Amino acid sequence: MIKKLIVGLALMLCADLALAAKTCKLEIEGNDVMKYNLVEMKVAPDCTEVEVTLKHVGKLAKATMGHNWVLSKTADFQAIANAGIAAGLDKDYLPPNDNRIIAHTKVIGGGETTSVTFPVSKLTKGGDYTFFCSFPGHYGLMRGKFIY
Ligand code: ZN
């Protein structure tokens, strides 16, 4: 009897979770003059997952004007970007296995599109987050506030 109840409860919980799952889609563009088209990105409180799509609307190759989209705490982003320079283009200009990186796309060149999906559970409501491009020299211009 109790076992049945527990199984029933677990099923109900699963159903609730499935109903509540919501992937929120955000889009951002990068261009040939080292700019994103957004300075702020916002995730609605009812999202459980975020899908960020980065579109490079320029024409330049990724070795010259590559862009990616990286998310971290604001306190960490400069250190990540600086460590990423040594990692090189093969590693998307990011230090490998760095748990300060919350989410990131690969580096793309003109005309390309890429995306990344991550759970909102990686974020704290009201936390101070920054998105940026880790291509060497880009984060000065290519960064913005990520709000949850
Ligand atoms: Zn860039």
Side-chain angles (χ1 to χ4, degrees), residues 52-143:
V52 174
T53 300
L54 169 69
K55 194 175 174 189
H56 193 317
V57 296
K59 288 190 168 65
L60 295 174
K62 72 173 176 181
T64 336
M65 184 53 74
H67 301 312
N68 60 2
W69 183 92
V70 186
L71 180 66
S72 75
K73 286 181 181 162
T74 298
D76 294 335
F77 92 93
Q78 275 172 311
I80 294 168
N82 289 334
I85 296 170
L89 181 56
D90 285 353
K91 299 276 189 289
D92 296 306
Y93 291 113
L94 287 169
N97 307 315
D98 191 320
N99 59 20
R100 295 172 299 179
I101 300 166
I102 297 168
H104 76 91
T105 70
K106 60 180 185 175
V107 173
I108 55 170
E112 293 182 308
T113 299
T114 185
S115 66
V116 63
T117 303
F118 60 97
V120 170
S121 59
K122 286 184 149 189
L123 305 170
T124 306
K125 266 207 166 72
D128 189 1
Y129 299 105
T130 289
F131 66 85
F132 62 99
C133 175
S134 69
F135 193 97
H138 286 203
Y139 74 77
L141 284 172
M142 298 189 77
R143 67 170 191 243

